[in-house]
Amino acid sequence: MHTWSTDQVDPKDRFDYWREVRAKGLFGVTAELEADRRRDFFGEFSLRKLGDAGLVELRASPYRVERRTGDIADAASDSLCIYQQLGGGGWFGGARLDEFAVRDGMFATSYSDLPYRTVPLHDDGFHLRIIKVPVANIVPPGAELGELVPRPVQDETALRTLLESCFRDLIESSDAIAAAGTAPTVQALAHIALIERGIMRPKSRLAQQALRTAHLSLARRLIRRHLARAALSPTLIAGLLGISVRHLHILFEGTEMSFSETVTALRLEQSRRLLREQPRQTIAEVAFACGFESLATFYRLFNASESMTPGDYRAQTA
């Protein structure tokens, strides 16, 4: 993880440094701001590698950004970009682009080497994440991204939820996993974005593989969300996903654990956390908060997993 902020630069030089070194050199864009506002400028970013892809989180006070043809010539990226707006909102426009605004939480996608202009909508400035995936790794034969101008992902589409789940998996992955084990999720994220933009056929082999990965990602998130429910079942999760129960079980067949094993593992993980962090909760309260249907079941499964009782675990980790 590489991080940087304008706090490392003298206030009078902050925007000039950001414009010439960070905006042009790192992001390949032209940055502009009125001279009388430059001394108060603040910007920070982090850059994290996800295999061949990169994850950038950027926060900055307001300024104008433009990716011009000269910027593209000087710093071609040839990447698919998936953006997530984290604060305020942003306006996008350009010669080939229908103007649009993105609000907090929205996603947008684009090809990196096309011109655009953007400014924040509010005084709180920019706050966004961008995952950039090299085109060579994800574009199917015959596909072209030359017309993939920036465009928001529509909230009402089911693909938006799948894209968000994969995006969050990458955000939440540890550095060790990010270095070695994120390639399938990065590819699924990129292909979901291409399906949403009409570049990839939903019935193609690559698209179906991406949809399986994304559905599995979302299934695990839904399991976590409903973990406290003793009635958590394949029927519940399949219904929330909009797939059949058989399809749900097939998703888990290619993983190390079945659906029921996944539920148990997550409940035990949650119980260990509560035993460590909530000393005032009784063992029974921990068990039922994690969705175990009985205290006896909890003790049996916990013993099998940890080779000790929940009480001994709590005492050992206190």
Side-chain angles (χ1 to χ4, degrees):
M1 174 81 78
H2 174 67
T3 61
W4 187 87
S5 87
T6 49
D7 287 343
Q8 301 172 32
V9 181
D10 189 287
K12 66 181 177 62
D13 299 322
R14 285 176 179 174
F15 183 76
D16 288 340
Y17 186 91
W18 181 270
R19 179 182 60 186
E20 297 303 323
V21 178
R22 300 304 170 181
K24 276 194 179 300
L26 184 62
F27 302 115
V29 297
T30 297
E32 298 293 349
L33 183 65
E34 292 78 8
D36 60 347
R37 300 176 61 193
R38 292 183 180 182
R39 190 176 183 87
D40 297 326
F41 176 79
F42 170 78
E44 63 180 5
F45 71 89
S46 64
L47 171 62
R48 183 183 181 204
K49 294 295 290 181
L50 300 170
D52 293 334
L55 164 64
V56 174
E57 182 168 343
L58 180 147
R59 187 194 301 264
S61 50
Y63 65 104
R64 298 183 299 280
V65 177
E66 188 171 0
R67 184 139 165 85
R68 302 170 177 171
T69 53
D71 297 322
I72 295 168
D74 292 339
S77 174
D78 196 28
S79 298
L80 174 67
C81 298
I82 300 104
Y83 308 82
Q84 182 189 25
Q85 187 74 21
L86 295 177
W91 170 90
F92 281 82
R96 302 170 56 190
L97 177 61
D98 292 334
E99 294 184 8
F100 68 89
V102 289
R103 63 180 185 277
D104 187 13
M106 284 182 65
F107 289 86
T109 58
S110 73
Y111 176 56
S112 61
D113 294 344
L114 293 173
Y116 67 87
R117 298 191 303 274
T118 182
V119 293
L121 292 177
H122 307 293
D123 292 340
D124 55 356
F126 290 105
H127 189 195
L128 67 156
R129 292 190 182 110
I130 309 170
I131 292 180
K132 297 179 69 174
V133 187
V135 164
N137 295 352
I138 51 94
V139 174
E144 296 288 342
L145 301 190
E147 299 300 318
L148 205 70
V149 297
R151 196 181 79 183
V153 176
Q154 300 304 307
D155 284 350
E156 61 269 17
T157 176
L159 291 173
R160 193 266 190 203
T161 307
L162 296 176
L163 183 143
E164 179 180 16
S165 188
C166 290
F167 199 99
R168 289 177 62 187
D169 280 352
L170 294 170
I171 299 301
E172 295 165 4
S173 62
S174 67
D175 287 341
I177 294 173
T182 56
T185 306
V186 169
Q187 186 173 68
L189 173 71
H191 288 168
I192 294 294
L194 294 179
I195 296 168
E196 197 272 336
R197 293 297 298 265
I199 301 295
M200 181 175 282
R201 293 183 296 105
K203 297 296 185 182
S204 69
R205 181 184 60 82
L206 288 175
Q208 288 297 303
Q209 182 177 326
L211 290 168
R212 284 194 298 272
T213 299
H215 274 119
L216 182 61
S217 165
L218 185 54
R220 287 171 171 153
R221 292 191 176 279
L222 291 169
I223 289 170
R224 287 184 182 275
R225 189 178 304 166
H226 296 278
L227 208 55
R229 297 178 60 171
L232 174 60
S233 67
T235 301
L236 171 66
I237 300 301
L240 293 171
L241 284 172
I243 62 177
S244 69
V245 172
R246 173 171 170 73
H247 188 181
L248 178 67
H249 285 302
I250 290 173
L251 292 178
F252 283 89
E253 282 180 2
T255 68
E256 295 179 354
M257 294 186 289
S258 67
F259 176 88
S260 61
E261 289 170 338
T262 299
V263 172
T264 298
L266 291 175
R267 282 177 168 158
L268 288 170
E269 175 188 301
Q270 173 79 339
S271 71
R272 290 192 296 269
R273 186 184 68 80
L274 292 179
L275 288 168
R276 292 192 306 268
E277 299 177 6
Q278 302 295 331
R280 294 187 177 183
Q281 279 192 331
T282 66
I283 302 298
E285 286 171 339
V286 168
F288 295 126
C290 297
F292 289 99
E293 59 185 357
S294 72
L295 193 55
T297 299
F298 175 51
Y299 268 91
R300 176 175 57 79
L301 292 172
F302 195 95
N303 267 305
S305 172
E306 303 298 321
S307 299
M308 66 179 75
T309 68
D312 288 342
Y313 178 88
R314 170 175 274 171
Q316 191 176 93
T317 58

